[in-house]
Amino acid sequence: MKDFKKYYLLPATPEEVYIALTNPITMEIWTGEPAEMSTEPGTEFSLWGDSIVGKNLEFEENRKIVQQWYFEGEPEDSIVTIKLHPHKQGCSMEVKQTNIPDEAYDDLVEGWNDAYAGALLSFFEEQ
């Protein structure tokens, strides 16, 4: 099992990024796929037509999101923590994910860089 941590700089306020990460309508716009999301801890979520599914664990409005991402057959939970920090150029989005199966690590990092953060960056640059 591996862990991943990276900071992404987005040209938006932490409040705008938080909305983009928690509002299912906004999520569908920047992902281009159906999304299910709620800011209620204990609810399940789905992104990119069920490519990413899991459970919402904790929310701190405009600052922090903690989720459990499901990997079938894995004994330990993969926990994703997204922290939003104000930055002079917008928002620094800190992503930390624990307990990533070794065989999924490279694809997951590529997904964070290209699909997730990359799509968010494109979304905010087009605003």
Side-chain angles (χ1 to χ4, degrees):
M1 301 292 259
K2 296 183 179 181
D3 293 347
F4 170 78
K5 184 175 181 179
K6 187 167 181 176
Y7 290 84
Y8 299 95
L9 191 56
L10 300 169
T13 66
E15 293 79 12
E16 291 168 325
V17 176
Y18 184 84
I19 290 169
L21 295 174
T22 59
N23 181 306
I25 296 167
T26 308
M27 294 177 95
E28 288 184 15
I29 293 170
W30 67 264
T31 64
E33 300 277 348
E36 293 179 31
M37 177 58 82
S38 166
T39 54
E40 186 70 34
T43 59
E44 296 203 336
F45 69 91
S46 167
L47 301 173
W48 282 282
D50 291 341
S51 291
I52 299 173
V53 292
K55 185 190 304 183
N56 292 309
L57 301 178
E58 180 186 340
F59 294 92
E60 195 174 323
E61 190 171 5
N62 304 325
R63 299 188 60 188
K64 182 177 169 184
I65 299 166
V66 182
Q67 299 174 320
Q68 175 187 344
W69 286 19
Y70 299 151
F71 287 98
E72 193 171 318
E74 292 300 324
E76 295 183 56
D77 295 344
S78 182
I79 303 299
V80 172
T81 303
I82 299 173
K83 293 181 181 177
L84 306 175
H85 308 283
H87 188 279
K88 62 184 176 190
Q89 296 176 344
C91 177
S92 173
M93 181 175 76
E94 174 188 342
V95 174
K96 182 178 180 188
Q97 184 165 2
T98 62
N99 297 327
I100 302 164
D102 292 347
E103 65 278 4
Y105 185 80
D106 290 340
D107 286 341
L108 194 126
V109 170
E110 184 179 320
W112 274 115
N113 291 334
D114 298 340
Y116 207 103
L120 270 173
L121 183 61
S122 294
F123 173 72
F124 286 117
E125 285 178 338
E126 293 170 6
Q127 299 296 311

